[in-house]
């Protein structure tokens, strides 16, 4: 609410008017009803036959309350039966809803929950709150961490309940898949066996290992192997 306390006294026929406007209480509309503003005029002094206008005197009424007003400038007039006139101008400000200016995303890696959403918003009234689950949970911090892949409904809400909404998506890159491991067994006790690993997916380049990642190489072909057990591992550029 905005309260205006200045007043103007006008004399008529040499007689000082006793009428004065003490304050004007202004209530804004909100984002869902922007034309629901109100003006309440408080006055003192001469009160006989009082009438009020908010359109520069084009229309008068006996009530000091005006409702369902759009944002804008209004010229307040109060007049009594002695034609003493008090004039004042006020403004009902436009409602400022919040606006989402940017949403910075950090995608999670390898199916992990290490993604981030960082929201930047401006405007609105009072303290802004933030949500990434369509206002099921809210917080005053615009940074959300430890997120997995998926769709998120970002909502920014101000103190008046006005909202800005945007849907974003975090994408976790697919891990590589081992499609096939072709083996050639060694002859007798010789070390002439081989493994050929075929893999797809992930983020190139892929690396291959047959000792669970202790040693890696850029190709999936291993020759000169003795009989035994081997732990095949394929990793991509993200370490998936």
């Amino acid at each position: 609410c905005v309260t205006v306390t200045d007043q103007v006294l006008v004399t008529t026929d040499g007689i000082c008017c006793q009428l004065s406007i003490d304050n004007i209480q202004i209530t804004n509309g909100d984002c869902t009803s922007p034309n629901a503003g109100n003006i309440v005029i408080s006055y003192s002094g001469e009160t006989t036959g009082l009438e009020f206008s908010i359109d520069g005197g084009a229309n008068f009424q006996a009530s000091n309350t005006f409702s369902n007003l759009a944002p804008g400038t209004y010229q307040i007039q109060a007049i009594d039966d002695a034609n003493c006139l008090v004039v004042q101008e006020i403004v009902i400000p436009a409602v400022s809803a919040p606006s989402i200016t940017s949403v910075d995303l950090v995608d999670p890696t390898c199916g992990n929950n290490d993604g981030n959403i960082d929201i930047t918003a401006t405007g609105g009234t009072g303290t802004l709150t933030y949500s990434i689950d369509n206002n099921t949970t809210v917080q005053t911090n615009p940074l959300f961490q430890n997120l997995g892949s998926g769709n998120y409904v970002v909502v920014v809400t101000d103190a008046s309940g006005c909202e800005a909404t945007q849907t974003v998506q975090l994408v976790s890159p697919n891990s590589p898949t081992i499609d096939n491991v072709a083996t050639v067994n060694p002859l007798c006790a010789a070390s002439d066996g081989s493994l050929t690993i075929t893999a797809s997916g992930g983020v190139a380049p892929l690396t291959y290992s047959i000792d669970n990642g202790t040693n890696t190489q850029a190709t999936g072909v291993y020759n000169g192997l003795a009989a035994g057990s081997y732990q095949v591992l394929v990793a991509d550029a993200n370490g998936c």
Side-chain angles (χ1 to χ4, degrees), residues 41-60:
I41 305 166
S42 297
Y43 54 89
S44 61
E46 177 60 50
T47 60
T48 304
L50 270 181
E51 290 188 324
F52 304 90
S53 170
I54 59 171
D55 55 9
N59 298 281
F60 280 91

Side-chain angles (χ1 to χ4, degrees), residues 72-152:
T73 301
Y74 294 86
Q75 188 189 81
I76 309 298
Q77 293 191 6
I79 191 169
D80 63 13
D81 57 1
N83 288 326
C84 289
L85 181 68
V86 181
V87 180
Q88 188 157 322
E89 191 172 88
I90 60 94
V91 175
I92 297 180
V95 177
S96 174
S99 174
I100 297 173
T101 56
S102 67
V103 180
D104 295 325
L105 307 176
V106 176
D107 289 321
T109 59
C110 310
N112 298 316
N113 293 331
D114 56 0
N116 294 340
I117 295 176
D118 193 4
I119 307 163
T120 302
T122 58
T125 302
T127 300
L128 300 181
T129 60
Y130 304 86
S131 172
I132 58 171
D133 55 10
N134 201 26
N135 265 353
T136 300
T137 58
V138 299
Q139 63 184 48
T140 56
N141 186 351
L143 176 63
F144 295 81
Q145 297 176 301
N146 304 318
L147 304 176
S149 61
N151 294 323
Y152 293 86

Side-chain angles (χ1 to χ4, degrees), residues 5-237:
T5 57
D6 292 342
Q7 62 185 31
V8 177
L9 300 180
V10 180
T11 59
T12 303
D13 297 331
I15 301 173
C16 181
C17 293
Q18 298 301 309
L19 174 64
S20 67
I21 294 176
D22 297 328
N23 66 68
I24 301 172
Q25 181 177 328
I26 302 168
T27 303
N28 296 347
D30 57 32
C31 51
T32 58
S33 301
N35 296 334
N38 293 326
I39 292 174
V40 180
I41 305 166
S42 297
Y43 54 89
S44 61
E46 177 60 50
T47 60
T48 304
L50 270 181
E51 290 188 324
F52 304 90
S53 170
I54 59 171
D55 55 9
N59 298 281
F60 280 91
Q61 66 180 43
S63 173
N64 64 331
T65 300
F66 295 82
S67 302
N68 300 318
L69 303 177
T73 301
Y74 294 86
Q75 188 189 81
I76 309 298
Q77 293 191 6
I79 191 169
D80 63 13
D81 57 1
N83 288 326
C84 289
L85 181 68
V86 181
V87 180
Q88 188 157 322
E89 191 172 88
I90 60 94
V91 175
I92 297 180
V95 177
S96 174
S99 174
I100 297 173
T101 56
S102 67
V103 180
D104 295 325
L105 307 176
V106 176
D107 289 321
T109 59
C110 310
N112 298 316
N113 293 331
D114 56 0
N116 294 340
I117 295 176
D118 193 4
I119 307 163
T120 302
T122 58
T125 302
T127 300
L128 300 181
T129 60
Y130 304 86
S131 172
I132 58 171
D133 55 10
N134 201 26
N135 265 353
T136 300
T137 58
V138 299
Q139 63 184 48
T140 56
N141 186 351
L143 176 63
F144 295 81
Q145 297 176 301
N146 304 318
L147 304 176
S149 61
N151 294 323
Y152 293 86
V153 180
V154 174
V155 181
V156 178
T157 308
D158 71 2
S160 298
C162 298
E163 296 180 350
T165 304
Q166 183 176 329
T167 300
V168 299
Q169 184 180 41
L170 293 181
V171 179
S172 178
N174 293 327
S175 297
T177 301
I178 297 175
D179 299 318
N180 186 56
V181 179
T183 62
V184 176
N185 292 323
L187 296 175
C188 299
S191 295
D192 55 0
S194 67
L195 293 175
T196 301
I197 307 165
T198 303
S200 60
V203 178
L206 301 181
T207 58
Y208 303 84
S209 172
I210 58 172
D211 55 9
N212 200 32
T214 301
N215 298 283
T216 62
Q217 64 182 43
T219 70
V221 178
Y222 288 83
N223 295 311
L225 301 178
S229 296
Y230 296 88
Q231 285 188 302
V232 175
L233 184 146
V234 178
D236 70 1

